[in-house]
Amino acid sequence: MNMIPQQVPAEQLGSLIPHRGKMVLLSRISSHDTERNRIVAEYDVTENCILYDEELKGVPAWAGFEMMAQSISALSTIRQLSSGGEGSPAPGVILSVSGFESSVASVAAGKTVELRVCEAYRDGSVCRYDCEMYEKGAPGPVATTAITVMGIEDMNSFFEGRGVGYGN
Protein backbone atom coordinates (compact mmCIF):
# COMPACT_ATOMS: atom_id res chain seq x y z
CA MET A 1 0.00 0.00 0.00
CA ASN A 2 1.38 3.41 -1.04
CA MET A 3 1.02 6.23 1.43
CA ILE A 4 0.29 9.55 -0.27
CA PRO A 5 1.09 12.58 1.90
CA GLN A 6 -1.87 14.75 2.92
CA GLN A 7 -0.32 17.79 1.29
CA VAL A 8 0.84 17.38 -2.30
CA PRO A 9 2.74 20.31 -3.85
CA ALA A 10 2.44 21.46 -7.48
CA GLU A 11 5.58 19.66 -8.64
CA GLN A 12 4.10 16.28 -7.63
CA LEU A 13 0.64 16.77 -9.17
CA GLY A 14 1.79 15.30 -12.50
CA SER A 15 1.81 11.86 -10.90
CA LEU A 16 -1.85 12.25 -9.87
CA ILE A 17 -3.59 13.91 -12.83
CA PRO A 18 -3.19 13.44 -16.59
CA HIS A 19 -3.16 17.18 -17.35
CA ARG A 20 0.04 18.97 -18.30
CA GLY A 21 1.27 22.52 -18.80
CA LYS A 22 -1.35 25.27 -18.77
CA MET A 23 -4.13 22.67 -18.56
CA VAL A 24 -3.21 21.98 -14.91
CA LEU A 25 -5.79 23.88 -12.88
CA LEU A 26 -4.61 22.77 -9.45
CA SER A 27 -1.78 24.34 -7.47
CA ARG A 28 -1.69 21.87 -4.60
CA ILE A 29 -3.65 19.30 -2.63
CA SER A 30 -4.29 20.36 0.96
CA SER A 31 -5.79 17.12 2.25
CA HIS A 32 -7.49 13.89 1.24
CA ASP A 33 -9.37 11.09 2.91
CA THR A 34 -9.63 7.86 0.90
CA GLU A 35 -11.95 6.21 3.44
CA ARG A 36 -14.51 9.02 3.20
CA ASN A 37 -13.61 9.72 -0.48
CA ARG A 38 -12.89 13.43 0.00
CA ILE A 39 -10.24 15.81 -1.23
CA VAL A 40 -9.42 19.48 -0.73
CA ALA A 41 -7.31 21.10 -3.44
CA GLU A 42 -6.33 24.69 -4.22
CA TYR A 43 -5.70 26.74 -7.32
CA ASP A 44 -3.85 30.06 -7.39
CA VAL A 45 -5.49 32.19 -10.08
CA THR A 46 -3.00 34.04 -12.28
CA GLU A 47 -3.05 35.88 -15.58
CA ASN A 48 -1.10 32.92 -16.97
CA CYS A 49 -4.11 30.59 -16.55
CA ILE A 50 -5.30 29.17 -19.88
CA LEU A 51 -8.86 30.28 -18.98
CA TYR A 52 -7.91 33.79 -17.83
CA ASP A 53 -10.27 36.42 -19.24
CA GLU A 54 -8.76 39.89 -19.64
CA GLU A 55 -12.19 41.52 -19.53
CA LEU A 56 -13.01 39.84 -16.22
CA LYS A 57 -9.47 40.31 -14.88
CA GLY A 58 -9.73 36.75 -13.68
CA VAL A 59 -11.02 33.28 -14.42
CA PRO A 60 -14.74 32.79 -15.15
CA ALA A 61 -16.57 30.99 -12.35
CA TRP A 62 -17.70 28.24 -14.76
CA ALA A 63 -14.03 27.18 -15.03
CA GLY A 64 -14.42 25.92 -11.48
CA PHE A 65 -16.02 22.73 -12.75
CA GLU A 66 -12.74 21.80 -14.52
CA MET A 67 -10.79 22.52 -11.33
CA MET A 68 -13.25 20.29 -9.48
CA ALA A 69 -12.91 17.58 -12.15
CA GLN A 70 -9.13 17.65 -11.79
CA SER A 71 -9.59 17.29 -8.01
CA ILE A 72 -11.73 14.20 -8.70
CA SER A 73 -8.98 12.82 -10.93
CA ALA A 74 -6.39 13.36 -8.20
CA LEU A 75 -8.62 11.68 -5.60
CA SER A 76 -9.21 8.72 -7.91
CA THR A 77 -5.47 8.24 -8.41
CA ILE A 78 -4.72 8.66 -4.70
CA ARG A 79 -7.36 6.02 -3.94
CA GLN A 80 -5.86 3.71 -6.59
CA LEU A 81 -2.31 4.13 -5.23
CA SER A 82 -3.42 3.86 -1.58
CA SER A 83 -5.05 0.50 -2.25
CA GLY A 84 -1.86 -0.93 -3.74
CA GLY A 85 -2.45 -0.01 -7.39
CA GLU A 86 0.31 1.29 -9.58
CA GLY A 87 0.80 3.34 -12.67
CA SER A 88 -0.30 6.62 -14.12
CA PRO A 89 -3.39 8.65 -13.21
CA ALA A 90 -6.63 6.71 -13.48
CA PRO A 91 -8.42 7.64 -16.73
CA GLY A 92 -12.05 8.65 -16.78
CA VAL A 93 -14.65 10.73 -18.56
CA ILE A 94 -17.09 13.35 -17.31
CA LEU A 95 -20.64 12.15 -17.92
CA SER A 96 -22.40 15.23 -16.55
CA VAL A 97 -22.02 18.49 -14.69
CA SER A 98 -25.35 19.25 -13.05
CA GLY A 99 -26.84 21.93 -10.85
CA PHE A 100 -23.92 24.32 -11.33
CA GLU A 101 -24.55 27.50 -9.36
CA SER A 102 -22.22 30.39 -8.75
CA SER A 103 -22.59 33.55 -6.70
CA VAL A 104 -19.73 35.23 -8.61
CA ALA A 105 -18.99 35.81 -12.29
CA SER A 106 -15.26 35.26 -11.89
CA VAL A 107 -12.37 34.81 -9.51
CA ALA A 108 -9.78 37.58 -9.77
CA ALA A 109 -6.12 37.03 -10.51
CA GLY A 110 -4.17 36.89 -7.27
CA LYS A 111 -6.92 34.98 -5.44
CA THR A 112 -6.75 31.35 -4.37
CA VAL A 113 -9.73 29.04 -4.69
CA GLU A 114 -10.25 26.02 -2.51
CA LEU A 115 -12.00 23.03 -4.08
CA ARG A 116 -13.83 20.61 -1.80
CA VAL A 117 -14.95 17.39 -3.45
CA CYS A 118 -16.74 14.43 -1.86
CA GLU A 119 -17.96 11.23 -3.47
CA ALA A 120 -21.73 11.07 -2.93
CA TYR A 121 -22.62 7.98 -4.95
CA ARG A 122 -20.89 5.01 -6.59
CA ASP A 123 -22.21 2.24 -8.81
CA GLY A 124 -19.36 0.24 -10.28
CA SER A 125 -17.20 2.60 -12.31
CA VAL A 126 -19.74 5.46 -12.25
CA CYS A 127 -19.46 8.01 -9.42
CA ARG A 128 -21.15 11.27 -8.55
CA TYR A 129 -19.25 13.90 -6.60
CA ASP A 130 -20.64 16.87 -4.71
CA CYS A 131 -18.30 19.79 -5.30
CA GLU A 132 -17.82 23.23 -3.77
CA MET A 133 -15.47 26.05 -4.71
CA TYR A 134 -14.51 28.70 -2.14
CA GLU A 135 -12.48 31.86 -2.50
CA LYS A 136 -9.86 31.38 0.19
CA GLY A 137 -11.08 33.15 3.31
CA ALA A 138 -14.71 33.51 2.18
CA PRO A 139 -17.35 32.18 4.58
CA GLY A 140 -19.29 30.12 2.01
CA PRO A 141 -18.86 28.52 -1.38
CA VAL A 142 -18.80 30.74 -4.48
CA ALA A 143 -19.78 27.80 -6.72
CA THR A 144 -21.36 24.38 -6.27
CA THR A 145 -22.13 21.51 -8.62
CA ALA A 146 -22.42 17.75 -8.91
CA ILE A 147 -20.10 15.99 -11.35
CA THR A 148 -20.73 12.44 -12.54
CA VAL A 149 -17.75 10.55 -13.93
CA MET A 150 -17.02 7.10 -15.26
CA GLY A 151 -13.67 5.42 -14.74
CA ILE A 152 -12.28 3.79 -17.87
CA GLU A 153 -9.69 0.98 -17.75
CA ASP A 154 -8.48 1.47 -21.34
CA MET A 155 -9.34 4.70 -23.18
CA ASN A 156 -8.29 3.31 -26.57
CA SER A 157 -10.70 0.38 -26.24
CA PHE A 158 -13.43 2.69 -24.98
CA PHE A 159 -13.23 4.95 -28.04
CA GLU A 160 -12.56 2.15 -30.53
CA GLY A 161 -15.41 1.83 -33.01
CA ARG A 162 -16.89 5.18 -31.94
CA GLY A 163 -15.08 7.16 -34.66
CA VAL A 164 -12.97 8.97 -32.08
CA GLY A 165 -9.21 8.72 -31.72
CA TYR A 166 -7.57 8.93 -28.33
CA GLY A 167 -3.91 9.46 -27.68
CA ASN A 168 -2.84 8.93 -31.30
Side-chain angles (χ1 to χ4, degrees), residues 65 68 97-101 129-132 143-147:
F65 91 84
M68 295 168 188
V97 177
S98 57
F100 184 86
E101 293 185 16
Y129 293 87
D130 292 335
C131 308
E132 299 176 324
T144 59
T145 194
I147 299 177

Side-chain angles (χ1 to χ4, degrees), residues 120-142:
Y121 172 81
R122 173 181 289 272
D123 185 4
S125 64
V126 176
C127 303
R128 190 189 85 231
Y129 293 87
D130 292 335
C131 308
E132 299 176 324
M133 181 173 77
Y134 293 77
E135 267 191 40
K136 197 98 182 216
V142 296

Side-chain angles (χ1 to χ4, degrees), residues 102-133:
S102 180
S103 61
V104 298
S106 63
V107 177
K111 297 280 187 177
T112 296
V113 293
E114 182 179 82
L115 308 142
R116 299 179 190 176
V117 172
C118 181
E119 182 181 283
Y121 172 81
R122 173 181 289 272
D123 185 4
S125 64
V126 176
C127 303
R128 190 189 85 231
Y129 293 87
D130 292 335
C131 308
E132 299 176 324
M133 181 173 77

Side-chain angles (χ1 to χ4, degrees), residues 3 32 46 71-72 135 139 157:
M3 294 303 296
H32 58 84
T46 69
S71 300
I72 292 168
E135 267 191 40
S157 294

Side-chain angles (χ1 to χ4, degrees), residues 73-91:
S73 179
L75 177 60
S76 177
T77 302
I78 290 169
R79 191 172 35 228
Q80 171 187 314
L81 294 171
S82 295
S83 66
E86 295 181 17
S88 57

Side-chain angles (χ1 to χ4, degrees), residues 27-77:
S27 297
R28 72 198 64 77
I29 294 172
S30 304
S31 67
H32 58 84
D33 182 339
T34 57
E35 288 184 25
R36 295 171 59 196
N37 295 317
R38 297 174 182 220
I39 191 166
V40 177
E42 296 180 359
Y43 182 65
D44 301 323
V45 178
T46 69
E47 292 179 16
N48 196 37
C49 176
I50 194 167
L51 300 172
Y52 180 81
D53 184 316
E54 185 64 43
E55 220 173 274
L56 295 172
K57 302 286 185 221
V59 174
W62 60 259
F65 91 84
E66 177 58 28
M67 296 172 203
M68 295 168 188
Q70 289 186 24
S71 300
I72 292 168
S73 179
L75 177 60
S76 177
T77 302

